Amino acid sequence: MPRSEGLTVKNLRVTTAGKEILSGVDLSVPAGEVHALMGPNGSGKSTLAHTLMGHPAYTITSGSIHFAGQDITHLRADQRARLGIFLSFQYPVAVPGVTVVNFLRAAMRSQGKELPAREFMKALTAEMEKLKIDPAFRSRYLNDGFSGGEKKRCEILQMAMLKPRLAILDETDSGLDVDALRIVADGVSQLRNPDMGVLVITHYYRILEQLQPDYVHILHAGKIVASGEAELARTIEKSGYEPILGPEAASPEALPV
Amino acid sequence: MAEVLVTRVSPKGPRQPLGTARAAAPSLQRLLQRPQQVAGPDWLRQRRDRFWERFVAAPAPSSTRDEDWRRTDASRLPLYELLEKQQLRLASPQQQARSEGASADAAQAARGMSDLVPFGDDSLEHSGTIVAAITRQGVSLHGSQQDLEALEQSGVSIVALGSLANMDDTAATRIRQLLSLLEGDGPLSAAWQALWNGGALITAPAGTHLSPSLWIVHDLSGALSVPATLLWLGEDSSLSVCDQYRKVEEGAQDTPDSSESSWTGDGGFGYYTPEPQTAIPTCTLAATLAMVGRGAQLSYGTLQEQPLTTWHVSHTLIQLEQEARLSALVSRLGAGTEKSWFDVNLVGRGSDAEISGIAFASSSQHLDHQSLQRHLGEDTRSRFTLKCAVSDHATSVYSGLIEVLPSAQKTDGYVSNRNLLLDPGAKADSIPRLEIGANDVRCGHGATAGHIDDNERFYMTSRGIPSHEVDRLIVRGFFEDILAAAPFPSIAAVSARLLDEKIARWQHP
Ligand SMILES: Nc1ncnc2c1ncn2[C@@H]1O[C@H](COP(=O)(O)OP(=O)(O)OP(=O)(O)O)[C@@H](O)[C@H]1O
Ligand SMILES: [Mg+2]
């Protein structure tokens, strides 16, 4: 039974381009908790993230997604966003011609979170300062020509401004230098509150050390094959996926470096 | 009023060599009536006569024979039909009735005119713009006190091309020089030379600078409108000018502060049919001719927002002398069919032309743009970028040529066309070309056509933005770099506003 708060995914099967990628995923991220999702490359983590966000290229063939007491299985992406779901993209998309400021204003307006111009600029400036983003980025075109790390920071900036109730961070920690990683982790920690759930998709233990997840789930071949406490992530950091998945499952590139 | 009946031949059917076209079968002859003529000095009358002869003798544009017309159906150009049957005259019946009563006051006209330019929140007062309303009585100017004083002190002059009778010799010489820029052998440039009627000559004497921009609103209310903009920039002068082409319905634009005084018709110099008729689309044949002297700088904008019932044909030809600079924004949003030529002659060593364009073709519009960057001088640089959004069943056609003459060593030229196709039925044709006659040059071209990227759309919707707003942002964003680099602020502001209106009409037809 779906909980009235947070995210509940039941027996989710998803295909794209005629291929089944998720083969029955069950997952709950209650409000106030931080869950980590790990798994080898190609196991379906981003597919799950996109499906939770409502990407039209991923077809749900069975199962359901509930959020905040609502069945959202068939909602469009913009409707889900307005319910408070936020995805920090593994590969943020460049939007030439649309400035960071204009984009954020449009997003906040459509989520009913519009601020008067001055207040908005004040809030934006403060968040950019925290994330150590150069103020010049306000009038740059969104993600256009941003470095990998700049894109990730800009995702967190959007999250900080939009204040979601469920944040899905798809490898936001990848490609960040040590300082940036701490800044991003601090950004997420500061936003945490009892009404907000966080699903962190990552290959690395380092960010989990800072975010202290309540649970860690392992996705493999489209299924959650193991769930446990933070300890599980440390095991993977030390020994790879082999002890959990068996020898044939752990391909060398899947191992955290 | 002398109406001259002239026989002309309109060859149709199979492709014929140009030379034999005139000898086509007599059954293909068409009768063209010369419209009521504009008064003017002798030299100009003779000139018009010459070009009229040339026009009627030349074969009509043909989509099978003329490369320029290959992708636009020339047989539907309403010009010939209007000239064949319609006994065009210089004023509409309404205008005639009005002029028998009290004639509209030019200042009122200007006020009405300035209301037409959507400066938006920046009222005209703060737009850094002077609107020049060209009336039969002369030019009336509208702008802030400060800007009008700047104009007076600058030495820049604006002469309405309706009052040609009292023209002084200097103006006559300049007009003649400028007209000579467009003497190519095409029938439509000949037609323009014979028929142009209304517009302005703007002269910036050597060393003059004018900071407010001059905004010329062409009221194209006639069945056939043939406006002229002639720009003459002396050495080391600088000037910003914008041509705005729009049609105002008869009597539709009464000024708010005076309900009986409408400027309509007094601002426009078109040719009118004896009775209003809707069977033939209206037609505009416009030209802007500019000479930019040594070291001078022209910032230029041109905005076409005509109704879908109009054919808009335009020639722009700008000649740059040594170290002269052109920075231009072309905005093409209206007209059922547009066929336009934008040519820049980089004659003087070190001259530089930076031309950007935005176009949006929706419903069944057909917009055909042609550009020529003609490098004659050494060390010259040119850029032409046209961005087109195309929706519904509309078509955009673009052909751009960089021509480098043997004299133009060290040319640096680029021509590019980017198309954003918004619907499966939308089409974009793009033919950028180079013709290089010198060996030490750097020239290139690029053309792309694409759709709105699904990932881009998903990224934006995932932040809660509904899909119609996403489309709006993406289309607007597509043009943003061009608007951001506009040659002067008011043209960017007005173009953006017109573009937003156009996007809204596309989204909510
Ligand atoms: N749109 C798509 N079209 C075709 N195949 C896809 C598509 N999206 C995902 N896949 C395939 O689904 C599988 C899972 O991809 P996904 O991106 O979800 O993996 P991941 O767990 O996020 O991997 P990584 O750790 O490398 O980010 C891969 O084999 C991938 O090629
Ligand atoms: Mg992934």
Side-chain angles (χ1 to χ4, degrees):
Chain A
M1 194 184 70
R3 299 186 216 185
S4 64
E5 293 298 323
L7 173 79
T8 307
V9 175
K10 291 187 89 177
N11 187 31
L12 193 68
R13 303 181 89 95
V14 170
T15 61
T16 189
K19 192 170 105 190
E20 184 169 271
I21 312 290
L22 300 182
S23 319
V25 170
D26 290 285
L27 175 72
S28 291
V29 182
E33 292 187 6
V34 175
H35 288 221
L37 182 67
M38 303 182 79
N41 291 129
S43 56
K45 302 181 297 297
S46 294
T47 300
L48 178 61
H50 281 128
T51 306
L52 293 177
M53 196 69 245
H55 196 303
Y58 298 91
T59 311
I60 297 175
T61 52
S62 75
S64 68
I65 309 168
H66 283 75
F67 177 68
Q70 263 195 61
D71 184 348
I72 64 163
T73 316
H74 303 292
L75 291 191
R76 295 188 316 264
D78 57 312
Q79 295 170 315
R80 297 184 195 201
R82 271 174 261 146
L83 289 176
I85 302 181
F86 177 90
L87 171 60
S88 167
F89 283 64
Q90 181 174 5
Y91 304 109
V93 182
V95 187
V98 180
T99 61
V100 170
V101 163
N102 283 348
F103 181 69
L104 267 172
R105 295 216 75 179
M108 290 175 75
R109 195 180 323 121
S110 58
Q111 295 198 19
K113 296 172 181 168
E114 194 172 13
L115 294 174
R118 286 180 72 116
E119 259 178 71
F120 169 81
M121 287 314 281
K122 230 174 103 184
L124 182 64
T125 308
E127 292 300 345
M128 289 179 86
E129 226 163 78
K130 276 193 226 161
L131 292 165
K132 300 220 160 45
I133 302 175
D134 184 331
F137 275 71
R138 287 189 294 217
S139 49
R140 288 211 22 200
Y141 298 149
L142 187 64
N143 296 325
D144 194 21
F146 288 20
S147 77
E150 286 164 351
K151 284 183 190 167
K152 298 297 175 77
R153 265 188 260 193
C154 184
E155 294 291 286
I156 298 305
L157 174 67
Q158 292 176 50
M159 180 180 79
M161 294 298 288
L162 291 166
K163 302 199 171 25
R165 293 159 74 193
L166 173 67
I168 304 161
L169 309 180
D170 191 356
E171 296 200 28
T172 304
D173 57 331
S174 294
L176 290 181
D177 61 48
V178 192
D179 293 335
L181 184 63
R182 187 172 316 111
I183 291 166
V184 163
D186 285 350
V188 178
S189 305
Q190 279 172 27
L191 214 61
R192 275 190 73 175
N193 67 65
D195 293 326
M196 181 191 182
V198 182
L199 180 64
V200 191
I201 298 172
T202 182
H203 290 295
Y204 307 110
Y205 183 66
R206 194 189 296 263
I207 191 162
L208 299 180
E209 220 165 25
Q210 300 188 50
L211 290 182
Q212 306 269 335
D214 299 285
Y215 287 94
V216 177
H217 310 275
I218 311 298
L219 188 70
H220 173 59
K223 274 191 172 143
I224 305 264
V225 291
S227 292
E229 304 204 339
E231 195 49 35
L232 185 55
R234 188 135 15 126
T235 311
I236 292 166
E237 170 91 357
K238 277 209 209 89
S239 331
Y241 288 108
E242 203 180 302
I244 301 158
L245 306 177
E248 81 286 0
S251 56
E253 76 270 26
L255 295 174
V257 188
Chain B
M1 175 187 87
E3 276 175 353
V4 186
L5 285 181
V6 186
T7 308
R8 72 176 300 282
V9 175
S10 168
K12 286 196 175 127
R15 200 184 154 115
Q16 283 172 309
L18 271 172
T20 62
R22 278 170 216 183
S27 63
L28 296 174
Q29 287 180 350
R30 294 172 81 169
L31 290 176
L32 294 187
Q33 293 175 342
R34 191 163 179 185
Q36 185 186 11
Q37 288 187 62
V38 188
D42 283 347
W43 67 265
L44 186 56
R45 251 207 350 265
Q46 285 157 13
R47 204 189 142 82
R48 288 179 187 280
D49 291 348
R50 212 166 62 236
F51 279 99
W52 177 259
E53 305 272 305
R54 200 191 276 189
F55 167 60
V56 295
S62 149
S63 297
T64 51
R65 202 185 49 231
D66 301 335
E67 189 54 42
D68 279 12
W69 287 89
R70 198 157 293 262
R71 289 166 185 83
T72 296
D73 186 357
S75 69
R76 303 181 68 166
L77 173 70
L79 176 68
Y80 289 92
E81 205 180 342
L82 284 167
L83 289 171
E84 235 171 16
K85 297 185 187 141
Q86 293 296 330
Q87 299 183 356
L88 298 175
R89 53 194 62 246
L90 290 171
S92 68
Q94 291 94 317
Q95 288 167 337
Q96 246 148 16
R98 209 162 37 232
S99 64
E100 280 156 22
S103 78
D105 166 36
Q108 282 300 353
R111 217 159 298 143
M113 200 72 96
S114 64
D115 290 342
L116 292 178
V117 186
F119 289 109
D121 304 334
D122 287 353
S123 65
L124 178 59
E125 289 282 307
H126 303 107
S127 64
T129 299
I130 296 171
V131 172
I134 317 295
T135 72
R136 284 182 206 283
Q137 290 86 5
V139 182
S140 79
L141 301 168
H142 196 80
S144 71
Q145 196 58 39
Q146 192 191 339
D147 287 342
L148 291 171
E149 274 164 21
L151 173 62
E152 203 172 303
Q153 283 157 19
S154 69
V156 170
S157 76
I158 308 171
V159 177
L161 294 175
S163 52
L164 290 166
N166 327 317
M167 185 183 356
D168 67 42
D169 284 350
T170 336
T173 310
R174 291 195 179 140
I175 290 176
R176 235 188 297 215
Q177 282 177 353
L178 285 159
L179 292 176
S180 72
L181 287 175
L182 187 65
E183 290 192 344
D185 43 25
L188 298 190
S189 56
W192 181 85
Q193 291 279 5
L195 299 172
W196 65 269
N197 170 18
L201 165 70
I202 300 178
T203 309
T208 56
H209 298 282
L210 180 61
S211 98
S213 56
L214 294 172
W215 203 283
I216 305 170
V217 184
H218 298 275
D219 158 27
L220 307 169
S221 50
L224 172 63
S225 302
V226 195
T229 301
L230 304 178
L231 307 173
W232 193 91
L233 278 76
E235 284 187 13
D236 296 317
S237 63
S238 69
L239 198 59
S240 304
V241 177
C242 180
D243 278 311
Q244 185 173 11
Y245 298 100
R246 58 180 302 161
K247 177 191 164 120
V248 180
E249 304 298 331
E250 279 279 335
Q253 289 293 327
D254 290 339
T255 57
D257 47 356
S258 161
S259 54
E260 98 227 61
S261 167
S262 154
W263 66 273
T264 302
D266 299 302
F269 298 87
Y271 296 95
Y272 296 80
T273 50
E275 297 297 330
Q277 58 83 36
T278 51
I280 308 173
T282 55
C283 182
T284 296
L285 202 54
T288 294
L289 308 175
M291 284 189 165
V292 187
R294 177 196 284 242
Q297 160 131 30
L298 173 62
S299 301
Y300 178 65
T302 168
L303 263 65
Q304 185 272 103
E305 41 155 344
Q306 297 238 58
L308 296 184
T309 49
T310 296
W311 262 70
H312 186 89
V313 179
S314 77
H315 292 89
T316 306
L317 204 149
I318 296 172
Q319 180 153 310
L320 303 177
E321 303 299 335
Q322 189 173 327
E323 303 287 334
R325 285 170 58 193
L326 167 70
S327 148
L329 177 73
V330 178
S331 162
R332 299 297 189 218
L333 302 175
T337 304
E338 160 151 14
K339 173 76 208 171
S340 71
W341 289 267
F342 196 115
D343 298 2
V344 54
N345 286 344
L346 297 110
V347 173
R349 163 193 272 271
S351 53
D352 183 303
E354 182 97 38
I355 302 140
S356 300
I358 62 175
F360 191 150
S362 63
S363 63
S364 57
Q365 279 182 285
H366 178 97
L367 305 183
D368 178 336
H369 301 95
Q370 203 166 327
S371 71
L372 172 63
Q373 294 144 268
R374 196 153 183 266
H375 290 258
L376 298 103
E378 235 180 281
D379 217 2
T380 46
R381 177 184 169 279
S382 70
R383 294 286 180 274
F384 193 107
T385 308
L386 178 69
K387 284 194 167 182
C388 303
V390 192
S391 68
D392 310 297
H393 291 93
T395 315
S396 159
V397 178
Y398 172 71
S399 56
L401 171 64
I402 301 181
E403 185 186 3
V404 181
L405 277 83
S407 53
Q409 294 296 0
K410 304 235 179 316
T411 284
D412 172 4
Y414 199 82
V415 54
S416 87
N417 176 219
R418 314 251 169 256
N419 295 290
L420 179 62
L421 300 172
L422 297 168
D423 289 300
K427 282 202 298 284
D429 250 336
S430 163
I431 315 113
R433 290 186 302 132
L434 307 176
E435 267 177 36
I436 313 282
N439 53 21
D440 181 16
V441 302
R442 205 172 59 194
C443 286
H445 62 76
T448 57
H451 302 91
I452 295 183
D453 180 61
D454 283 346
N455 286 322
E456 197 173 326
R457 188 179 258 139
F458 175 65
Y459 184 77
M460 295 174 81
T461 45
S462 82
R463 300 302 188 235
I465 306 175
S467 67
H468 66 91
E469 173 73 356
V470 166
D471 288 353
R472 194 189 71 75
L473 285 168
I474 290 178
V475 174
R476 195 61 165 65
F478 174 65
F479 293 114
E480 188 57 34
D481 56 341
I482 291 190
L483 294 176
F488 47 97
S490 56
I491 178 102
V494 174
S495 302
R497 186 164 290 260
L498 294 174
L499 184 59
D500 287 342
E501 285 171 20
K502 175 90 185 188
I503 294 171
R505 280 200 301 278
W506 161 58
Q507 294 197 312
H508 311 282

